[in-house]
Amino acid sequence: MDTSPIIVAGGGIAGLAAALAVGFHNALILEQTPAFTTAGAGIQIGPNAVRALQKLGAWEAVKPYTTKPTEIQFRDGLSGKLIKQMPLGSVFSARYGADYHVAHRAGLHAGLLEVVRSKPNLQLQLGQALQHVEVGANDVQVKVKGHSRRAPALIATDGVQSQLRQMLFPGTSATKSGASFHRALLPRPAKSNLDMDCVIVWMMPGGHVVHYCVGNPQQLNIVAITPDGATPKTFFGRATPMLVELINIAAPHFSIWPSLYIPPLRKWTVGNTLLLGDAAHGTLPYMAQGAAMALEDAACLSQALAGTQSFRHAFAETSSRRIARTNRLHGETINTGKVYHAGGLLRLLRNAGLEQVPISIFMRKLDWLYKY
C-alpha cells in the first residue's frame, strides 16, 4: 500500500478522531484555522461515545476533562414541573457498559489532540485550507494555497457546511432548520433551587433549553433553542420563574449558532475519498449525539482499515455500515424536537406520558443508541 500520508481535511473533533483511526498509516491533518481556540460550549459524551474513544485509544486522555452528571431531568418550561428523571448512576452504567459524561468541547478536543501529537505517523498543519479536490483512479489530488499535492486517500471532516462535500456531491448544501441556537458559558451559580450536578432539559412550546456544568472550575453551559428571529429573553419570558431567572442571567453572554442539518446522503464515498462526522451527516443536536456519531464513524473506520489493504474498500465499508445508523439518528432527532417543542394539548399528553412510563421502559427505548 502507498505509504504517502492520507490527508484528513479538518482538525476538529471528527478530524482528530479520523486521524487516530488510520492505525499504522501515515496521515496529514490539514486545519484551515491558524490556531485552535478554547471557544465553544458544552458537549455530552454518552456510553457509545466513551466506547468509541476507547476503541481509538483516546479515552484516558479525554477522561480528565469530563465530569459525570447524576441524572437527566426533563422539566416543563411553562410550569417548572419535574416530569421525568433518568438516573445516570450504577444502574445506567451497568446497562450500557460505560458512564455518561459531559465536558467542554475544548476539553474533548484537547484530549484527542494530545493523543494525535503522541503518534509519530500523524502530522498536523494549521492554516491550511483545501481549495480543490480531484478524485483519480487510485489517488486524490488536492490544492492547498495554490499548490497541488497527491495523496493516496482523503478523509473530509470539515463540518456541516463542508466545502469538500459540495465538491464531491454537488447540491448537498446544509439546510436551515428554522431554529436558532443561543449558547453561553457562565460561572456555576453559587446558590440555586436547581440541581446543577445534573443535565436539565426545559421543554417549551416551540423551543427548549438545556443546561449542565462543565470544566474545572465549573461553568454552567446553557443552550436555548428558539425560532429564528427570537431572542431567548423574549421567547422564554413566559416560562417558569426559575427558567426566566436563568435566561436573564445568561442573556448578555449568548452567542448565536446556526441551526443546520444535512439531508441524508446515499453514500459518503467517492473513490478514495470519505466524508466523516458532520460533513457526512450533520444533524440537529436535540439528542446530544453530534460528536458521538463522529467518534463512532472513526471507530468504524479503524476497524474497516484493519481488515483490508484498500482505502476504497475500507471507505465503502465504513459508509455502508454507518449510514443506516446516522439516518436513524437524524429521524429520531427531528422527532425529539417535536416532543420537546409540543404545545397545547400535545404538551399535556407529552407530560402525562413521560410521567407514567416506567424508567425501565424509558431506558429501553434508548438501547439502540447507547448500547451500540
Side-chain angles (χ1 to χ4, degrees), residues 92-140:
F92 180 94
S93 301
R95 183 182 188 96
Y96 296 119
D99 293 332
Y100 197 104
H101 296 254
V102 295
H104 191 291
R105 183 173 292 269
L108 173 56
H109 187 270
L112 289 167
L113 187 59
E114 176 185 327
V115 181
V116 164
R117 285 178 167 159
S118 74
K119 305 288 185 182
N121 62 315
L122 304 181
Q123 300 177 45
L124 170 65
Q125 294 181 8
L126 301 177
Q128 304 289 317
L130 267 67
Q131 300 162 328
H132 182 71
V133 58
E134 184 176 331
V135 182
N138 295 297
D139 63 4
V140 180

Side-chain angles (χ1 to χ4, degrees), residues 241-258:
M242 288 186 292
L243 182 54
V244 169
E245 180 182 9
L246 195 59
I247 291 292
N248 287 342
I249 294 171
H253 306 280
F254 278 126
S255 59
I256 300 179
W257 291 47

Side-chain angles (χ1 to χ4, degrees), residues 125-204:
Q125 294 181 8
L126 301 177
Q128 304 289 317
L130 267 67
Q131 300 162 328
H132 182 71
V133 58
E134 184 176 331
V135 182
N138 295 297
D139 63 4
V140 180
Q141 297 285 336
V142 300
K143 185 177 288 187
V144 183
K145 291 187 174 180
H147 299 285
S148 294
R149 65 181 302 158
R150 189 198 70 84
L154 168 69
I155 304 173
T157 64
D158 52 338
V160 70
Q161 300 192 69
S162 169
Q163 295 299 310
L164 291 173
R165 181 188 65 249
Q166 294 175 62
M167 292 178 196
L168 296 168
F169 300 94
T172 57
S173 298
T175 297
K176 294 182 178 180
S177 73
S180 292
F181 288 76
H182 310 263
R183 301 176 186 266
L185 280 170
L186 311 169
R188 176 177 172 139
K191 295 181 180 180
S192 175
N193 293 324
L194 298 168
D195 183 355
M196 290 297 167
D197 291 320
C198 65
V199 177
I200 300 182
V201 181
W202 298 89
M203 302 176 289
M204 279 280 292

Side-chain angles (χ1 to χ4, degrees), residues 311-323:
F311 292 121
R312 186 185 298 262
H313 290 164
F315 290 178
E317 179 183 342
T318 301
S319 174
S320 64
R321 287 180 56 192
R322 293 293 300 157
I323 280 180

Side-chain angles (χ1 to χ4, degrees), residues 348-368:
L348 300 178
L349 292 173
R350 176 203 65 203
N351 290 354
L354 282 174
E355 282 185 299
Q356 293 172 14
V357 65
I359 191 62
S360 59
I361 295 177
F362 185 85
M363 293 176 67
R364 190 183 307 157
K365 292 180 180 295
L366 295 171
D367 284 355
W368 73 273

